[in-house]
Structure formats: C-alpha cells, structure tokens
C-alpha cells in the first residue's frame, strides 16, 4: 500500500517539504525542488515575489498547478505581522493552508510561543488551516493542537543552523501524544538528520537551507528525498533494541576447529 500522509484533508505521497528561498537563482530553486520529489513548497510571503508581474515570479519556475504552495510568515516577529502577512497571502493567491511562525530575536530566532499562540488563535478564528512552527515543548504542542492547528512543526534545531535534531526525546514525546501530523522543521543539515527525524516517527520533514546552502543543491535534494524514504521505512520496520553488551549474529556453538 502507498505510504501517504494527510494534512487538513489533503493527501500527499512525499514526506519531504522544501522551501523556495536562499537559492542562487529561481532556476536553481526549480531544479532542486524537482529533484527532491516534494509536493509541498513553503513560500515566504514577505521575501518571495508572488504578486509583481514586472519582476521574476516564483510561479513561473515553481508552478502552483504542480506544487501545493504553503505560504509562511518567515521574518515575522510579532503576532500582528504574522496574521497580516497571511491575510495578504490569502488575498493574493487564495491560499488557506498556511504555515505560521512567530520568531524571537536574533541570534537564535527561537519560536516566540506567546506570539505564536496569539497569532494561531486569530488565524483559526479567521478559518485558516494552520500548520504551526513551535518550540520542542510537548505541553505547548498539545495546546496548539487543541486550539485547532492542523499540524505541529517543532524545530529540530535553530533555523538555518544545520545542527540536526537537537532534542529527539521531546520530538518523540510530541509525536506520541499528537492526533495531527508532526513535522520536524528547521535545523536539518544533511541526509542523516532527515532520516533520523523520520526514524523518530515524524510524519514529514521540512527544510530549506540544507538544500540552498549545499555545494550542490540538486544533488543534496536527491539525497534528502532518499533519506526521508529510508527513515520512514526504518521507523515502520522497527529498529532492533539497543544492547550495551555484544550479541554475535553468528551461532557460538558447533564452530569449526572447536574441540568437542
């Protein structure tokens, strides 16, 4: 059976979501996304041209007829800015499924959870379907789910850091209690990070900098595609238990040359 997943009534085969920013060109953006096999792409409404026909437009390279656009609030540091940004996105493109993030100050850009709760409440009341970026905090994650968010997206590590999944225990705890999809968002740096996130049981992985900042973004996109598939397969297969003593895989009795 196809191992697909669902968010807000929409079903997808790829469990990799990729961003559209920070690439050297829109041509590189398009090639990397194509190679990743992703079906959902995030669009930073405040940073990517989706409305000015007199400038190069993302839609000409990454067509919304082929990909599901997920407008996000990258760069927003207040609930008010985040809500305004997504309302403008809905006016511009009719997008209702959105990614909310409200960031704290540099240098860590850690999720501002007070602002996140405030913005989530306003957007849900305005009939948005909110996928929410949040701290790796099981209590906060459950509260966002109970408010009506359609997906929970705890950070693996600081945005753009490439540090991987810093706190796998809390990611696993969030997933174990969630009734909506859980996606690791931010911090993924290489294929092993993405595979590990999936091995924890997450429904999908979202990344951008890992592709855009790679020496070969298209090559890294291929690696990430396979890493997510492998990590998901390993999770479904069930890893062997960890053992702090050796347990040889070959029989220890009846060995050639051993005296009777």
């Amino acid at each position: 059976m196809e191992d697909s997943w669902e968010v807000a009534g929409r079903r997808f085969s790829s469990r990799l979501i990729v961003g559209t920013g920070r690439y050297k060109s829109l041509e590189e953006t398009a090639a990397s996304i194509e190679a990743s096999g992703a079906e959902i792409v995030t669009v930073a409404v405040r940073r990517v041209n989706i409305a000015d026909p007199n400038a190069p437009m993302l839609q000409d390279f990454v067509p919304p007829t082929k990909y599901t656009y997920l407008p996000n609030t990258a760069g927003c540091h207040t609930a008010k800015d985040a809500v305004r940004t997504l309302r403008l996105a809905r006016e511009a493109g009719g997008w209702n499924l959105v990614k909310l993030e409200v960031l704290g100050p540099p240098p860590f850009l850690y999720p501002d959870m007070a602002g996140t709760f405030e913005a989530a409440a306003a957007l849900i009341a305005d009939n948005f379907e909110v996928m929410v970026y949040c701290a790796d905090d099981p209590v906060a994650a459950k509260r966002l789910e109970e408010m009506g968010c359609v997906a929970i997206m705890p950070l693996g590590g600081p945005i753009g850091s490439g540090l991987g999944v810093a706190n796998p225990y809390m990611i696993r705890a969030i997933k174990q209690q969630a009734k909506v999809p859980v996606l690791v968002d931010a911090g993924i740096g290489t294929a092993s990070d993405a595979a590990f996130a999936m091995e924890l049981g997450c429904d999908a992985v979202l990344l951008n900098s890992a592709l855009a900042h790679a020496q070969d973004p298209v090559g890294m996109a291929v690696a990430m595609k396979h890493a997510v598939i492998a990590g998901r397969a390993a999770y479904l297969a069930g890893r062997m238990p960890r053992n702090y003593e050796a347990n040889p895989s070959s029989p220890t009795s009846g060995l050639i040359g051993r005296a009777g």
Side-chain angles (χ1 to χ4, degrees):
M1 293 180 62
E2 181 187 11
D3 180 37
S4 59
W5 67 291
E6 183 177 315
V7 59
R10 300 163 176 84
R11 187 158 290 278
F12 301 97
S13 297
S14 173
R15 293 176 180 269
L16 177 61
I17 300 174
V18 297
T20 53
R22 300 187 174 185
Y23 293 92
K24 298 180 184 69
S25 66
L26 285 171
E27 289 84 358
E28 184 180 78
T29 303
S32 300
I33 293 171
E34 176 72 24
S36 76
E39 297 167 291
I40 306 175
V41 296
T42 61
V43 179
V45 179
R46 304 182 79 190
R47 296 173 177 164
V48 175
N49 178 31
I50 57 174
D52 181 3
N54 296 315
M57 296 183 70
L58 177 68
Q59 294 96 311
D60 295 333
F61 294 84
V62 183
T65 53
K66 181 176 180 180
Y67 300 98
T68 296
Y69 274 29
L70 183 65
N72 71 22
T73 56
C76 292
H77 294 271
T78 68
K80 183 178 179 180
D81 284 348
V83 171
R84 181 192 306 112
T85 297
L86 292 177
R87 285 175 175 161
L88 289 172
R90 184 159 65 181
E91 288 296 320
W95 297 295
N96 203 56
L97 180 66
V98 297
K99 178 195 167 187
L100 169 65
E101 56 184 80
V102 181
L103 303 179
F108 302 112
L109 301 177
Y110 200 76
D112 179 336
M113 292 311 299
T116 299
F117 288 127
E118 180 184 346
L123 291 167
I124 292 167
D126 203 10
N127 297 314
F128 280 93
E129 295 165 317
V130 180
M131 301 174 68
V132 60
Y133 174 67
C134 63
D136 52 353
D137 176 352
V139 176
K142 193 62 180 178
R143 179 179 171 189
L144 288 165
E145 178 185 332
E146 290 171 347
M147 289 172 64
C149 293
V150 299
I152 307 301
M153 307 172 76
L155 80 166
I159 291 174
S161 68
L163 290 173
V165 181
N167 198 340
Y169 309 103
M170 291 299 98
I171 300 293
R172 187 189 296 272
I174 290 170
K175 175 57 185 173
Q176 287 175 338
Q177 69 177 2
K179 294 182 174 63
V180 298
V182 173
L183 298 78
V184 163
D185 180 7
I188 301 298
T190 191
S192 58
D193 299 333
F196 182 46
M198 295 304 298
E199 289 171 5
L200 293 173
C202 291
D203 296 279
V205 169
L206 193 157
L207 53 87
N208 186 176
S209 298
L211 302 188
H213 290 175
Q215 295 181 31
D216 177 3
V218 174
M220 184 61 78
V222 173
M224 291 296 186
K225 173 182 177 179
H226 292 293
V228 167
I229 292 171
R232 175 66 178 174
Y235 170 73
L236 293 176
R239 66 155 292 144
M240 64 172 288
R242 288 181 171 86
N243 193 339
Y244 293 97
E245 295 180 356
N247 184 11
S249 56
S250 302
T252 57
S253 59
L255 300 179
I256 296 173
R258 173 173 288 184

